[in-house]
Amino acid sequence: MASEIQLTEVTKRYGRRPPAVDNFSITIPAGEIVVFVGPSGCGKTTTMRMINRLIEPTSGRITIGGEDTSTLDPDKLRRTIGYAIQQAGLFPHMTVGQNVSVVPGLLGWDRTKIADRVEEMLDLVGLDPAEYRDRYPRELSGGQQQRVGVARALAADPPVLLMDEPFGAVDPITRGNLQDELMRLQAELRKTIVFVTHDFDEAVKLGDRIAVLGDQSKILQYDTPEAVLANPADDTVAGFVGAGASLKQLTLRRVRDVELTQAHVIVSTQDEPAQIRSRLQEAGKSFALVLDPRRRPVAWVHVREPQVRRPIRDMVSNESTLQDALEAILTEGGNAVVTGGRGEYVGLVEIDTVMAAVRELREAV
């Protein structure tokens, strides 16, 4: 069950210096993703950490689900709030399964319930439990570590999830995939999520609402991504939006909202090159999409060299934005491959589809 969060006139001071956060007030609706975006040092992380009392407010009031957090034991409070940070923050001496089970263990869950929850959470974030449960963090890629970090944050089914630049330390393609995964999870779980970033495009993609923050966490604008893009509150917010606002509007459109096409020829990783060439020649096509036994896309092959697989470097999901799809098209030099919730192939996005959306957005401005 998601919970509303309210911060009322919250201030944080360190000694005699000017406040790091000054008189901050906001209501974060239950079940929504609210993104704090602003330059480094503006106080956005400090503000978020006061919600779970990793940093104690100097003054003001914070409530979660109507309950004043200052009246609660800090350790017990934190066990009811998921927390995901940059570079995952996994315990290196623990296996993936042990990392995910940390908070349920602290809450006194029995072993069977914990084991079932670890399986469920790893599956939820797209990691096969049998393959990853007993691995150590050092044996995972950066993106896989972040997925484990999200699984750990969600393991005890908290009503609130705090995310502090969780995808900032991975490459752009992996970052886009992790953003898509978060959107898919949120569609299923409907948590109240406070997400901190300095990347405005990430804020627009993920946020139900965006709080653009200035110095001392002053709220410059708090609104939906559509409203911030269309009507920046002042020159500072307009600077965040930057040039090409109409192109940024592609971030508001999802792959699931457009019509997908299908690859004309689909083959299996188990097919022989001669079979693949024959099928392409019969269809009169140059390229075939290669799927593995679980129908996950892995590569393209050309009729002239069916034994050579060109790996797909950048794919999108139904939760991806059309801007993601455009980037994948440019990276791949062809159509963007679209996958479903478990990585299975569902279709393609063509460049003509994206360009039609751009024309519609420009005409609407």
Side-chain angles (χ1 to χ4, degrees), residues 18-60:
V21 177
D22 189 22
N23 203 38
F24 183 91
S25 297
I26 198 171
T27 297
I28 297 166
E32 291 193 5
I33 299 178
V34 170
V35 181
F36 292 173
V37 63
S40 296
C42 73
K44 55 188 184 294
T45 292
T46 299
T47 302
M48 188 192 72
R49 288 181 178 175
M50 286 191 284
I51 294 172
N52 66 353
R53 293 179 61 188
L54 281 173
I55 294 175
E56 292 287 353
T58 304
S59 61

Side-chain angles (χ1 to χ4, degrees), residues 43 54 66-67 77 87 167 188 236 239 260 288 305 348:
L54 281 173
E67 193 167 21
L77 171 68
Q87 296 179 316
F167 311 141
E188 291 184 32
T236 304
L260 303 182
E305 296 180 297
L348 305 172

Side-chain angles (χ1 to χ4, degrees), residues 90 92 94-96 131-142 144-145:
L90 301 178
M94 291 185 177
T95 65
V96 165
E131 183 177 352
Y132 291 98
R133 185 197 308 107
D134 297 323
R135 290 191 186 184
Y136 287 89
R138 64 179 178 274
E139 300 174 296
L140 307 179
S141 69
Q144 289 166 343
Q145 288 184 31

